[in-house]
Amino acid sequence: MATLTFIGATRQVTGSCYLLKTRASTILLECGMYQGSNQDEERNQKDFPFDITQLDAVVISHTHLDHCGLLPKLVRDGYQGPVFMTPATHDLIEVMLKDAAFLAMKDVEWENRQRQRAGKPLIEPLYTDQDVADTLHLREVHAYGETTPVTDDISLRFHDAGHILGSSIVELKISENKKKHTLVFSGDLGNSKTAMLDDPSVITHADTLLMESTYGDRNHRSLEETLDEFRDALQEAMESGGNVLIPAFTIGRTQEVLFWLGKFYREGILKQQKVFLDSPMGIKASEIYFKHLHLFNDEDTKSFRETVKQGWKEWLPPLHYTRSTEESMQINTITGGAIIIAGSGMCTGGRIRHHLKNNLWRNNTRVIIVGFQAQGTLGRALVDGARHVSIFGKEIAVNASIHTLGGFSAHADQSQLLDWTKSFSKPRPDLYLVHGETEKMLELQKQLYSHQQWHANIPHPGEMIEL
Ligand code: ZN
């Protein structure tokens, strides 16, 4: 009998990882990094809680680090089998993992300088460039809708999850002793209110369903309300002479923001003359988005696809790419009238921290939050209304206005999650909620029961179920 063990993104949003074992094979579904508080991030250093030599295959739903960020560590620790993913994930994951290795090495360099001075033993990075290069060789690509064997008794099909470019819902069919079992993992489900990508694919059959629950407790505002608030914040910043800072996940939210700024520009309502994409990785990811225009939603992006031939600057002429550190530092001298988009999305690292340090204390600054902010992150502290924050060891007053635009979220909200589950035919699959904070899961569980009389399980980390 097959078993499934919940390892990560279980009663929390990061560290997505599930182990599927049949009589003949073992598959790892996701190999995500823990992100958020220091305590969460320390978990990335720990040994994997399974025998790597037993693994036959790894399947990755999409490129966000909390779904794929520990792959190079798995490879460093001995994994040499295939890693299944979609074509766009193949392109994006290279950018994502190389950057993660770069940051890991930089962190260690800094830490080791302190340790050397204190006479403490030096530490190793989480993984290196070489581990990433070794990982990239293992990629095996399959387009949406294609069925492919993963092992002798498991086949795989990806469906479009509409969350970021190349993101997938993973369907695994297990055949054991003439018995068939279908496991569907939602991955991260997209927000159908956003414009660029298609809505998550409708799936009608599963025996076991793992579903994300990031926004299990709330509904996003409508896109119209979100765009109104976005326009107002941009306008107010212009009138008060301040800058606009947009911390954005380099893959997904960054491109959605560029798309809407371009639309505003074309409508003549974008007054800012300078829009900086201050993120080497965001620039690379945006160019990859451009290579996969066929995955964009036909209707919503028609004029975009017709306008752009070379790149994003045709769509948004005030856009400046800042690749080097020097160029990025020059932005610090601009005290108003600029829009600065930079990573990381939850303000846990990256160039956005420098811009926050320089601008948060000014009361004419607008910070626009467009993505999910996990507990323990600087982004969450801002959303929760902190009056002071610590950045690079300095206490900074928060006098800026903070706007949270839920409608730009890359995740389905409660009503969209409930709608998506309605398509499953009866008998309904056994449902397990994953990828959410516990209180959000409890709320979604309540809603599923009251609307559909469907009991959702909320597994504990390390729990194993029989399929
Ligand atoms: Zn994601």
Side-chain angles (χ1 to χ4, degrees):
M1 187 172 287
T3 61
L4 181 79
T5 308
F6 297 88
I7 296 172
T10 305
R11 294 181 177 242
Q12 70 173 119
V13 282
T14 66
S16 186
C17 189
Y18 314 96
L19 188 73
L20 173 64
K21 256 176 183 284
T22 67
R23 204 175 291 249
S25 45
T26 305
I27 286 189
L28 193 66
L29 179 55
E30 310 265 80
C31 193
M33 191 180 256
Y34 293 95
Q35 293 173 305
S37 65
N38 289 345
Q39 201 189 354
D40 280 326
E41 293 191 359
E42 276 163 22
R43 296 177 64 178
N44 294 322
Q45 303 284 353
K46 292 196 177 144
D47 288 341
F48 289 104
F50 47 79
D51 181 358
I52 293 174
T53 62
Q54 299 282 308
L55 286 184
D56 297 298
V58 178
V59 179
I60 296 294
S61 72
H62 68 287
T63 335
H64 281 149
L65 282 183
D66 59 319
H67 295 260
C68 67
L70 288 187
L71 269 175
K73 182 176 168 236
L74 189 78
V75 171
R76 185 202 63 195
D77 289 358
Y79 179 69
Q80 287 179 13
V83 183
F84 290 84
M85 60 188 72
T86 67
T89 301
H90 167 279
D91 293 355
L92 288 169
I93 207 167
E94 179 163 352
V95 179
M96 204 67 173
L97 294 181
K98 281 182 177 168
D99 185 71
F102 172 75
L103 290 179
M105 291 191 290
K106 232 172 72 178
D107 274 358
V108 162
E109 235 173 73
W110 183 85
E111 168 86 21
N112 277 345
R113 268 204 305 275
Q114 316 295 315
R115 284 175 168 260
Q116 220 161 8
R117 277 183 213 148
K120 289 184 181 166
L122 303 187
I123 53 166
E124 294 285 319
L126 186 59
Y127 47 77
T128 63
D129 287 344
Q130 187 56 48
D131 301 320
V132 171
D134 295 342
T135 304
L136 296 176
H137 285 306
L138 304 177
R139 287 174 291 182
E140 184 160 337
V141 169
H142 293 279
Y144 295 135
E146 227 175 84
T147 301
T148 182
V150 174
T151 61
D152 290 343
D153 58 354
I154 302 176
S155 70
L156 159 75
R157 188 150 57 139
F158 290 120
H159 303 268
D160 191 351
H163 164 66
I164 58 166
L165 192 78
S167 64
S168 62
I169 298 164
V170 179
E171 180 187 342
L172 294 168
K173 278 196 187 337
I174 306 155
S175 321
E176 265 191 319
N177 309 328
K178 293 185 195 145
K179 240 185 76 189
K180 290 209 184 312
H181 191 99
T182 305
L183 168 69
V184 170
F185 167 54
S186 71
D188 285 0
L189 290 173
N191 174 4
S192 51
K193 289 172 185 162
T194 56
M196 286 179 71
L197 300 175
D198 284 332
D199 292 351
S201 304
V202 168
I203 312 287
T204 55
H205 173 72
D207 298 301
T208 302
L209 172 61
L210 309 191
M211 184 172 76
E212 70 123 319
S213 50
T214 317
Y215 285 102
D217 66 335
R218 74 184 72 171
N219 289 323
H220 301 316
R221 284 176 156 197
S222 70
L223 185 60
E224 290 69 35
E225 282 173 292
T226 301
L227 292 175
D228 280 347
E229 201 179 341
F230 192 21
R231 283 189 208 100
D232 288 350
L234 296 174
Q235 176 90 22
E236 281 166 28
M238 202 60 203
E239 281 163 10
S240 61
N243 287 326
V244 176
L245 308 186
I246 310 181
F249 294 97
T250 40
I251 297 177
R253 289 324 77 202
T254 291
Q255 293 75 31
E256 191 83 22
V257 166
L258 293 180
F259 175 77
W260 285 110
L261 289 175
K263 254 197 145 144
F264 294 166
Y265 176 84
R266 271 146 212 291
E267 289 164 5
I269 51 173
L270 184 73
K271 300 293 176 224
Q272 278 85 349
Q273 298 297 312
K274 288 194 170 95
V275 178
F276 296 97
L277 178 51
D278 188 24
S279 160
M281 185 170 57
I283 296 166
K284 283 186 200 151
S286 299
E287 297 305 318
I288 292 173
Y289 259 67
F290 198 73
K291 259 179 64 189
H292 294 270
L293 289 180
H294 63 284
L295 295 175
F296 283 40
N297 180 279
D298 274 350
E299 215 177 288
D300 295 338
T301 64
K302 195 165 175 286
S303 68
F304 172 75
R305 284 177 294 115
E306 284 168 0
T307 309
V308 295
K309 296 283 174 276
Q310 311 293 325
W312 288 87
K313 286 188 198 184
E314 289 164 283
W315 180 246
L316 177 59
L319 179 63
H320 297 263
Y321 285 158
T322 46
R323 290 188 170 86
S324 68
T325 315
E326 292 72 29
E327 286 171 309
S328 173
M329 282 164 71
Q330 269 170 17
I331 304 176
N332 292 343
T333 58
I334 303 173
T335 53
I339 299 173
I340 305 161
I341 307 163
S344 68
M346 298 193 275
C347 314
T348 49
R351 293 180 177 177
I352 195 68
R353 291 172 74 89
H354 293 276
H355 300 303
L356 288 168
K357 187 178 147 223
N358 285 319
N359 290 279
L360 269 182
W361 59 273
R362 300 177 206 269
N363 55 16
N364 58 4
T365 299
R366 299 288 182 282
V367 179
I368 301 185
I369 303 281
V370 293
F372 184 79
Q373 306 297 318
Q375 276 169 0
T377 61
L378 174 57
R380 180 68 161 258
L382 294 175
V383 168
D384 289 345
R387 298 315 306 162
H388 290 91
V389 290
S390 167
I391 304 177
F392 301 122
K394 294 229 162 29
E395 186 170 300
I396 311 286
V398 184
N399 297 324
S401 308
I402 315 290
H403 302 259
T404 307
L405 302 188
F408 277 150
S409 166
H411 285 270
D413 63 12
Q414 186 188 69
S415 66
Q416 293 170 14
L417 290 170
L418 290 171
D419 272 352
W420 188 74
T421 56
K422 278 185 199 150
S423 313
F424 285 89
S425 56
K426 289 185 177 162
R428 285 175 177 146
D430 291 332
L431 172 57
Y432 295 85
L433 300 182
V434 295
H435 199 285
E437 290 163 0
T438 309
E439 61 275 23
K440 300 186 179 180
M441 291 180 160
L442 288 169
E443 187 52 38
L444 184 61
Q445 184 186 49
K446 214 157 83 186
Q447 295 295 326
L448 276 160
Y449 196 78
S450 71
H451 288 275
Q452 302 176 34
Q453 291 73 54
W454 192 351
H455 176 70
N457 301 285
I458 302 181
H460 285 276
E463 192 174 324
M464 187 179 82
I465 57 166
E466 288 183 352
L467 301 181

